[in-house]
Amino acid sequence: MRRLLALRAGKELTAGHVRVAADALGVSERTVWRWLAAAESDETAAASPGARPQGTGFTITPEVRALLALWKGNVRAVHRELVLRAARQFPPADAPSLTTLHRAIRRDLTPGERAGLAGGERAARKHDVFLARPRGWRNQVWESDHMQAPLLLEVDGQARRPWITWFTDCATNAITGVAVTPVHPSRESVLAALRSAVLREDPYGPFGGLPQKVRVDRGKDFLSRTVTAAFDLLDVTVEDLPAYTPHLKGTVEGLNRTVEPMLLAALPGYARQPRPGKRSSRPADEVLLGFEDFTARLLAWTRWWNTEHRPAPLRGKTPLEAWQDDPTPLRDVPATDLWTFTPEDAGTRTLTTRGIRFRRRDYVGPWMTGQAGIHVRVRFMPHHDHRIEVYHAATGRYLGPADLADQATDEQISAVRRARAARSRRLKKDLEASQRERYAAVTQAEPPRRLGALTGAQADAELAQSAGTALSQLALPDVIPPAAPPADWRTPASLVALTTPSRPAPPPASRDVTATAPEGPDRRAAPPTTDEDGDAS
């Protein structure tokens, strides 16, 4: 700026000099001419052209921050609010212009702060810088999470969005275990995925063993008593991450984001598919995948991810190659011991001739022949009340499974569900929590299996109760009208039409029938009385 002032003082300043200075400073030529005019009268303006005097410019105050958060980052709405507040003051104050407000926001607030005031913590986190953890070694740390797939499947005649439960190895990016459920996951989904992750037998592949640590979020399924006890028995440390910190388990979160464009977006029933029209809706002729077909495709994609896909952090290796190149020894657990640790303990029972009594139901198995009278320990999977696992109470030896005796047929279960639905509609109550259908999590391609076993006797009893309730509601109390009251009663006219006039009601009975009998030819003979000896009098 001083060079331009010297040229102007010597009358050697041209438009070309101003154009070059404007390009170098990133401003317009008009701004340079204005700075020159200000510098001729003030030496400080020549030292720092364009700078405002200290304390005279508009700055972002806590009030403006609160308004930005209130209006979700809408600067024009904040400007209108500032203008109204300035006008209500006495004497009226000057409000900043919209351009000044925009300039102050860009100057005083970082991009992360602007995004956070407009969209919250999740939006602000996109502008943060995160450090990468060391790769470590295989089975050092696993990460687990639930994911609801943006995909509609056909499950028992209804369109449902399935849930996927992952276990991933942070060192090799391998998917060690996966479980799929047609409805909301539970602790049963976590245990099913954990078993598939730990076992290294077919068809689970070479990945597996016991990890040293598992990172989970604050989901109640991962922190349930059954899952926590299973991790403790397997000597696995569970790291419970703080809420709303997905960047602390970036491996599994990256898998959640990757599976959608790489697999789910190409499947029929994809819920986020762009569709024409003002109101996007699913085509009426769209054929949805079945639950078994989707599970088979997901498992095939999982095998492709582990054996053929080459993630960028592995530098050209597949997860399988990174797993095999790692010499870290593995801790394996026999399948029988794993089944002992993961189910929930229900205490000891006595095996009788009718089987094992559990939750007021009888469970039998072919191995029980000749075993009546022994004490056993019962373990069960949450919500899997159609089967229990039985162990010897003294030795802990696994004896075998036991299935529910007298299990209801599919027709009985369907009839019971229809009766329950009709009853809930009549009572006008929200019974979604108690009537919610549950499905078992699977690790192999198989048809969906509904949980919630029901015996045949229970089905018949509930249907009989429902049928009796329906008949009682259909009864009409006014089919046979009441008898007419006595003639000497004063009956309202509105009730006379509702009675039967042909059969008047008898008058009130008296203790002495003979004394109160009416006189005259129409008088009825009183019934004969008998004395103590039985002779008529």
Side-chain angles (χ1 to χ4, degrees):
M1 183 60 61
R2 296 184 184 280
R3 176 69 181 274
L4 295 178
L5 289 174
L7 293 175
R8 187 170 185 177
K11 298 183 180 180
E12 298 178 0
L13 182 64
T14 62
H17 294 116
V18 175
R19 188 181 305 110
V20 172
D23 295 339
L25 296 175
V27 295
S28 64
E29 297 181 21
R30 182 179 177 180
T31 301
V32 175
W33 286 110
R34 188 175 68 251
W35 288 352
L36 286 173
E40 288 180 346
S41 59
D42 188 2
E43 294 183 358
T44 57
S48 56
R52 294 176 178 269
Q54 189 69 22
T56 59
F58 177 79
T59 58
I60 298 299
T61 61
E63 178 187 11
V64 178
R65 285 177 174 269
L67 290 176
L68 284 172
L70 175 65
W71 292 102
K72 304 299 181 182
N74 190 336
V75 182
R76 187 174 292 274
V78 173
H79 179 257
R80 288 198 300 267
E81 186 71 21
L82 292 176
V83 171
L84 292 176
R85 293 186 179 185
R88 287 196 293 265
Q89 294 181 7
F90 183 82
D94 295 333
S97 64
L98 182 60
T99 303
T100 302
L101 181 60
H102 273 288
R103 183 169 54 248
I105 290 175
R106 289 193 300 267
R107 183 187 66 245
D108 298 341
L109 298 181
T110 63
E113 290 177 325
R114 296 197 297 266
L117 293 174
E121 178 65 26
R122 181 173 298 180
R125 197 182 298 124
K126 297 180 180 180
H127 299 270
D128 294 341
V129 177
F130 303 100
L131 299 177
R133 289 193 180 98
R135 299 300 298 178
W137 55 89
R138 63 180 182 180
N139 282 357
Q140 180 191 15
V141 179
W142 285 3
E143 293 179 355
S144 182
D145 194 16
H146 295 307
M147 172 194 174
Q148 187 178 23
L151 188 77
L152 294 177
L153 302 180
E154 193 275 326
V155 180
D156 291 343
Q158 297 182 0
R160 298 181 181 272
R161 291 181 60 180
W163 284 80
I164 307 172
T165 304
W166 310 97
F167 275 93
T168 60
D169 181 59
C170 296
T172 62
N173 281 55
I175 302 175
T176 56
V178 59
V180 188
T181 52
V183 291
H184 292 276
S186 62
R187 59 185 185 272
E188 181 264 343
S189 308
V190 180
L191 295 177
L194 177 62
R195 282 195 301 272
S196 67
V198 172
L199 291 177
R200 297 199 301 131
E201 304 171 352
D202 290 337
Y204 303 109
F207 307 97
L210 289 179
Q212 296 182 8
K213 182 190 297 184
V214 175
R215 295 194 189 103
V216 299
D217 54 15
R218 291 184 176 271
K220 62 179 181 180
D221 305 328
F222 295 100
L223 300 179
S224 62
R225 178 168 55 89
T226 305
V227 177
T228 304
F231 281 127
D232 291 341
L233 291 173
L234 295 174
D235 193 19
V236 176
T237 304
V238 178
E239 183 180 357
D240 183 20
L241 300 176
Y244 304 105
T245 56
H247 59 282
L248 296 181
K249 52 184 179 71
T251 304
V252 70
E253 291 292 344
L255 181 62
N256 290 338
R257 294 190 299 267
T258 303
V259 69
E260 181 174 351
M262 297 183 68
L263 173 67
L264 303 179
L267 298 180
Y270 180 60
R272 298 174 183 170
Q273 184 70 29
R275 305 185 188 278
K278 296 182 179 179
R279 298 182 62 184
S280 60
S281 59
R282 189 165 56 90
D285 56 348
E286 183 179 13
V287 179
L288 301 179
L289 286 177
F291 178 74
E292 184 176 3
D293 190 10
F294 169 73
T295 306
R297 297 194 184 198
L298 179 64
L299 294 178
W301 182 84
T302 301
R303 287 189 292 271
W304 171 84
W305 174 276
N306 287 337
T307 58
E308 300 182 23
H309 180 57
R310 302 180 185 274
L314 298 184
R315 300 180 180 179
K317 292 183 179 181
T318 65
L320 178 60
E321 294 173 351
W323 181 274
Q324 293 175 344
D325 293 343
D326 194 333
T328 305
L330 303 176
R331 295 189 302 161
D332 289 327
V333 178
T336 55
D337 295 344
L338 189 62
W339 274 100
T340 304
F341 293 154
T342 51
E344 190 169 341
D345 190 4
T348 58
R349 301 288 194 280
T350 301
L351 179 59
T352 65
T353 55
R354 297 184 58 182
I356 298 175
R357 191 70 174 175
F358 174 62
R359 291 183 176 178
R360 296 182 295 179
R361 300 176 178 182
D362 293 326
Y363 291 81
V364 296
W367 57 269
M368 294 182 179
T369 304
Q371 301 282 349
I374 65 174
H375 295 281
V376 297
R377 180 171 293 276
V378 175
R379 291 181 176 271
F380 68 100
M381 286 294 296
H383 312 298
H384 281 253
D385 48 3
H386 63 282
R387 168 173 290 190
I388 59 177
E389 304 294 334
V390 186
Y391 301 81
H392 198 279
T395 63
R397 181 172 55 90
Y398 178 66
L399 299 177
D403 295 321
L404 181 65
D406 188 26
Q407 188 167 354
T409 62
D410 294 339
E411 291 77 9
Q412 288 176 318
I413 295 176
S414 299
V416 169
R417 285 196 175 91
R418 288 194 299 268
R420 290 175 179 175
R423 180 180 58 191
S424 63
R425 288 193 299 268
R426 288 192 303 267
L427 297 177
K428 296 181 181 180
K429 290 183 178 180
D430 186 12
L431 302 180
E432 182 180 358
S434 60
Q435 301 295 335
R436 184 176 60 185
E437 297 180 356
R438 293 184 179 273
Y439 291 81
V442 299
T443 58
Q444 299 297 320
E446 60 184 46
R449 183 173 55 195
R450 186 185 291 111
L451 302 178
L454 192 68
T455 63
Q458 290 174 334
D460 293 337
E462 189 162 349
L463 288 176
Q465 182 180 3
S466 176
T469 304
L471 291 177
S472 64
Q473 290 183 352
L474 293 176
L476 301 178
D478 56 346
V479 172
I480 302 176
D488 56 344
W489 286 16
R490 298 184 62 182
T491 306
S494 59
L495 298 180
V496 173
L498 300 178
T499 59
T500 305
S502 59
R503 297 194 309 170
S510 176
R511 294 180 180 270
D512 189 0
V513 180
T514 305
T516 57
E519 300 278 339
D522 294 337
R523 175 181 137 188
R524 298 180 182 180
T529 60
T530 58
D531 55 10
E532 296 181 359
D533 297 333
D535 297 333
S537 60

